[in-house]
Amino acid sequence: MSNSSNQAGTPSLFCSIGSTTKQISDEEIKQILYQFLESLGPREDVMLLPPDFTRFHSQAGKISRFICEYYNFIPLGGESPNEGEPHEKKTKLSKSESRPAITILPALGTHHPMTNTQIKTMFGNELTKKENAFLVHDWRKDVDLIGYVPKEMVERATNGMVSEPWPAQLNKHVWSRRLHDSEKQPHKSLILSIGQVVPHEVMGMANFNKNLFVGVGGVEAINLSHFIGAVHGMEKMMGRANNPLRSILNYASEHFLQKELDLWYILTVMGTDEDTGEITMRGLYIGNDIECYNMACDLSLQVNFTMLEKEPKKIIVHLDENEFHSTWLGNKSIYRTRMAIANGGELIVLAPGVRQFGEDEEIDKLIRAHGYFGTPTTLKAMENSDDLKRNLSAVAHLIHGSSEGRFSIKYCPGHLSKEEVESVGFQYDTIDKMEELYNVKNLKDGWNTVVVNGVEEEIYFISNPALGLWAVKERFEESNNTESSSCKGNRTFTVDANQGQTSSDHSGGVGGWAKPPL
């Protein structure tokens, strides 16, 4: 917790509003943000940590814009982020008298840097025009080691497969803001982590300190955290705010972040309006400790978790072509539906924008080399591959991306060939053919009855898998009662997460390769 913030009179939980039916307007968001920022007092330096374009629907772009307006960094309410979107009403709230330097560091994690078009769409014209406002996070090189989580916590989380401390790593530009020259900068730098809480395949529930330790974290920490999630078992992680991996990150937050940084979280919960189909903000939570996150998780499970009464035999998932360009991202279609689909069922993924497997060039090569062939095959491959041992996030992704033979997965990408798709273990069909059979414009989220080749069939349609989690009660409850991980009892080796790595600049001795291994 930041002492300076307490002295300014800001409670550790500043805002907690939301319900399953609430619709929080732009004016409400702006009013709350202005009151919050005013309570923190004047600043000379502010850093924003929003998600990247893969979390466009979080409204983090809009929130970032409102913050920049408050601090006089861009004009007040003078634009709409997207052409054709109505302008917001002008607020009567007072802006800050401060004009701090503002830096925006999108929490890319392992993803590609945002393009100018994505920045403009998400953050608006005025911020796009600000020279040097946006930094690019490089998870392989741009990190500092800030401390270690005890190895005993890692051993428990991985059933003994990893016996070493977890390295807490953070982007060097974030970590450097713990220091300031009081003569030149009277107030401590303010860091605002912005994002959406939603069920997540690796972390159980997304955001909070994940935005720091994964979103702007380093390769060793990201690799190991993804692997811990896979070993613990995806079905036991998704939709659970409390799990072994989150405990590791919480330890790092309490021992390192809260002592050193003036860090606040602005968390949203987003849901779909059943009448209009529009995505709307159901909850807004602001605080500097875990309380705001826990409250957001409680609401997200009510808004974003769909418990089905019966198992769909066929699920159709649509991946927006502007949001999903790789199976690394698009496999949310698998993660988020695996606890719903029937044994022997079929998952069809309509992926017009998918053109590659990994977001990272090195991981793309590993996916192409090893494919999505299930946990035993992947762990056996890791046992014999130094490249996989050095890229544990890829191992986790390969495990997550398999149905373990329980149901079939048919990928219909716009820019990958039949040979490429089938080589990694998926079935293939053309996007044009499948979009004609399952026209997303005529489908509603949920159950649909369609006629395909003259035969009537019942399908379950999901327009955006990133917005939720789907399960049937029996399978969700069954995952609560199973032992952690199908890896347990099949362990013939241990993992050395440091093997073959050399430190890059500013890494504190760890943090990735100056040049990724080939």
Side-chain angles (χ1 to χ4, degrees), residues 350-368:
L350 306 178
V354 167
R355 59 184 68 249
Q356 61 205 52
F357 294 108
E359 289 282 293
D360 175 282
E361 182 179 350
E362 172 69 9
I363 290 178
D364 185 84
K365 292 179 182 177
L366 291 173
I367 296 171
R368 291 175 183 272

Side-chain angles (χ1 to χ4, degrees), residues 33-46:
L33 287 174
Y34 276 36
Q35 291 172 349
F36 165 62
L37 296 172
E38 183 180 13
S39 75
L40 295 178
R43 300 292 167 135
E44 295 78 37
D45 181 66
V46 176

Side-chain angles (χ1 to χ4, degrees), residues 94-343:
S94 299
K95 298 194 298 180
S96 173
E97 295 182 1
S98 301
R99 291 182 177 270
I102 293 183
T103 305
I104 302 173
L105 178 65
L108 296 175
T110 63
H111 301 168
H112 277 303
M114 294 181 70
T115 65
N116 285 336
T117 299
Q118 290 174 337
I119 291 174
K120 182 177 180 181
T121 300
M122 186 165 175
F123 295 97
N125 297 321
E126 293 296 333
L127 276 177
T128 305
K129 292 188 293 186
K130 298 295 289 189
E131 189 173 355
N132 300 321
F134 288 85
L135 297 180
V136 177
H137 173 65
D138 186 336
W139 70 305
R140 293 193 183 275
K141 293 190 291 186
D142 289 348
V143 296
D144 285 338
L145 173 69
I146 69 172
Y148 285 101
V149 175
K151 71 175 184 178
E152 290 78 12
M153 295 184 70
V154 179
E155 287 175 342
R156 286 196 298 269
T158 62
N159 297 313
M161 288 187 70
V162 181
S163 182
E164 61 184 63
W166 184 79
Q169 299 170 297
L170 203 60
N171 182 282
K172 61 187 179 183
H173 297 291
V174 180
W175 190 234
S176 68
R177 278 165 167 77
R178 74 193 187 282
L179 308 171
H180 70 110
D181 184 336
S182 58
E183 292 186 2
K184 296 180 181 179
Q185 182 184 321
H187 304 92
K188 198 165 186 177
S189 295
L190 174 63
I191 301 173
L192 300 173
S193 177
I194 310 163
Q196 178 186 359
V197 174
V198 67
H200 190 267
E201 53 278 0
V202 173
M203 202 61 61
M205 299 292 290
N207 226 275
F208 187 49
N209 43 29
K210 173 185 180 291
N211 210 42
L212 281 295
F213 292 123
V214 177
V216 291
V219 63
E220 281 185 334
I222 292 175
N223 276 339
L224 189 49
S225 64
H226 280 67
F227 186 70
I228 290 169
V231 169
H232 184 68
M234 190 192 319
E235 285 85 352
K236 292 182 66 64
M237 295 288 286
M238 288 189 293
R240 280 84 168 183
N242 298 314
N243 58 68
L245 179 53
R246 181 63 73 175
S247 295
I248 289 172
L249 268 62
N250 289 346
Y251 179 100
S253 285
E254 293 165 7
H255 287 78
F256 313 130
L257 296 187
Q258 290 178 200
K259 292 181 178 180
E260 297 288 350
L261 300 176
D262 192 359
L263 169 64
W264 291 81
Y265 299 94
I266 302 173
L267 305 176
T268 66
V269 175
M270 308 301 298
T272 303
D273 188 302
E274 293 183 1
D275 296 327
T276 65
E278 297 295 320
I279 297 170
T280 186
M281 187 181 293
R282 299 297 192 193
L284 179 62
Y285 301 86
I286 301 175
N288 67 358
D289 62 21
I290 198 170
E291 186 178 8
C292 69
Y293 170 69
N294 285 336
M295 297 180 77
C297 287
D298 289 342
L299 179 60
S300 175
L301 286 176
Q302 297 177 62
V303 172
N304 304 124
F305 186 11
T306 303
M307 190 75 79
L308 303 179
E309 294 183 359
K310 63 178 182 178
E311 299 174 319
K313 294 181 179 179
K314 180 176 288 188
I315 297 180
I316 311 294
V317 177
H318 178 255
L319 303 179
D320 184 275
E321 62 182 322
N322 295 315
E323 187 174 348
F324 297 95
H325 299 140
S326 65
T327 60
W328 181 272
L329 299 175
N331 280 3
K332 289 184 187 299
S333 56
I334 304 170
Y335 316 149
R336 305 293 177 85
T337 62
R338 64 188 306 126
M339 286 193 288
I341 194 166
N343 290 337

Side-chain angles (χ1 to χ4, degrees), residues 394-411:
V395 176
H397 173 74
L398 297 179
I399 291 172
H400 289 161
S402 169
S403 72
E404 305 293 347
R406 194 174 67 76
F407 56 91
S408 66
I409 302 168
K410 180 178 289 185
Y411 244 95

Side-chain angles (χ1 to χ4, degrees), residues 52-78:
D52 64 7
F53 197 74
T54 63
R55 302 293 189 275
F56 172 76
H57 297 293
S58 65
Q59 293 201 13
K62 179 182 292 183
I63 289 172
S64 298
R65 185 157 48 89
F66 289 167
I67 293 169
C68 290
E69 290 175 357
Y70 173 80
Y71 283 122
N72 305 289
F73 192 66
I74 58 174
L76 177 64

